[in-house]
Amino acid sequence: MSVYVQLLDAAIRDLEARKNNGERFVAVAPETLGALASPVLRARRAEPAMTLPKAIVPATPVSPPAAASPRVPLFPAVQPPPPTLTSIARGDRSAEFAELRARVLACAKCPHLVTTRKSVVFGVGDPNAQLMFVGEAPGVDEDRQGEPFVGAAGQLLTKIITTMGQTRQTVYIANVLKCRPDTAPGERGNRKPRPDEMATCLPYLLEQIQLIQPRVIVALGGTAVEGLFGIAEARITRQRGNWMDFRGTPVMPTFHPSYVLRAEDGPDKGRATKRQVWEDMLQVMERLALPISDKQRGFFK
Ligand code: URA
């Protein structure tokens, strides 16, 4: 990883820690503020996805604001300065991933979510993973910790992943929406992300998928299917277990872990639902040619 990317990561971690500690402002030198106000022409990857542009078009200089305030809000509504993509080696996924992460963490496309979020939940795992799990949106625990699937549903997902012989570090886990959907003050629980919110955030997930290039994606629940495919109403009970195609990548839709947890209150203690999810995961393992032991195959039989 280049020194630039390490510094970028350290700066992001510092800003996140400050924000989580309740700091709402940081002191910024006027010249930095001027640079931040400059329009950015971001380098776009040409097809194929991993190809970097040969040259970066220089940004058009503009005058810095006349009276720059010495303090600006954390995660302001301006784009962050562009990384020097020329320093990123062709095909270096970790560097491109860090650049994408920096952009997503500074996102302010949904002002209503910017004001209520504690963190932007980018994703976790191996940027070279063959298997990617996609959920709908961070809940209260994920928002607090800045990591997807760390609450009760996340613990079940982790169990599913380890039962498949993988870990959270060998796969990649992300959500369609990177910020926790806001709820009314004092309201408990999580809200389902709206189609417009997911559509706004989807380009980030697309970039993650383009960089990771997973061989298989698991869509966790109907809302994730709706967000990923941009469809109005998924029928997860019918769609689960049946391969879908997302721009050339096979997608296995399955039940969301929260649904599985709710099914535990049923007469069979969720056994039938768990068996269905496990059957879906066995299909995924077969597709990835992962070893499957008799014990793994025999679960729920
Ligand atoms: N549910 C999701 O869809 N994503 C999370 O990160 C947590 C719960």
Side-chain angles (χ1 to χ4, degrees), residues 104-270:
V104 174
L105 294 192
C107 182
K109 286 189 206 172
C110 303
H112 63 295
L113 301 184
V114 173
T115 52
T116 52
R117 74 188 179 200
K118 287 193 173 63
S119 41
V120 178
V121 181
F122 178 69
V124 71
D126 181 359
N128 299 300
Q130 299 197 3
L131 176 56
M132 181 168 182
F133 290 84
V134 174
E136 53 183 61
V140 67
D141 298 307
E142 291 74 23
D143 182 43
R144 208 176 282 138
Q145 297 186 40
E147 186 171 324
F149 284 100
V150 290
Q155 281 163 29
L156 178 56
L157 177 63
T158 305
K159 212 164 154 188
I160 292 168
I161 290 169
T162 51
T163 309
M164 294 170 81
Q166 301 298 305
T167 67
R168 285 174 71 95
Q169 289 75 42
T170 61
V171 302
Y172 199 85
I173 309 171
N175 284 305
V176 180
L177 191 64
K178 309 297 188 212
C179 295
R180 179 175 183 244
D182 57 340
T183 49
E187 196 175 308
R188 290 167 65 89
N190 298 316
R191 162 172 81 73
K192 186 177 155 171
R194 292 196 308 259
D196 62 304
E197 292 168 333
M198 291 197 286
T200 303
C201 212
L202 186 64
Y204 293 138
L205 181 64
L206 297 184
E207 286 195 66
Q208 285 177 307
I209 293 171
Q210 276 186 340
L211 283 170
I212 297 168
Q213 296 181 8
R215 284 178 53 210
V216 168
I217 295 171
V218 173
L220 297 163
T223 307
V225 171
E226 288 163 12
L228 191 58
F229 289 90
I231 55 177
E233 229 175 284
R235 298 251 179 267
I236 194 66
T237 41
R238 267 195 246 146
Q239 285 174 313
R240 65 139 285 273
N242 295 299
W243 288 104
M244 298 175 78
D245 178 274
F246 182 74
R247 305 179 190 209
T249 305
V251 173
M252 174 52 67
T254 194
F255 291 128
H256 192 284
S258 304
Y259 177 84
V260 180
L261 289 177
R262 285 197 299 276
E264 284 182 345
D265 295 334
D268 73 342
K269 302 203 169 5

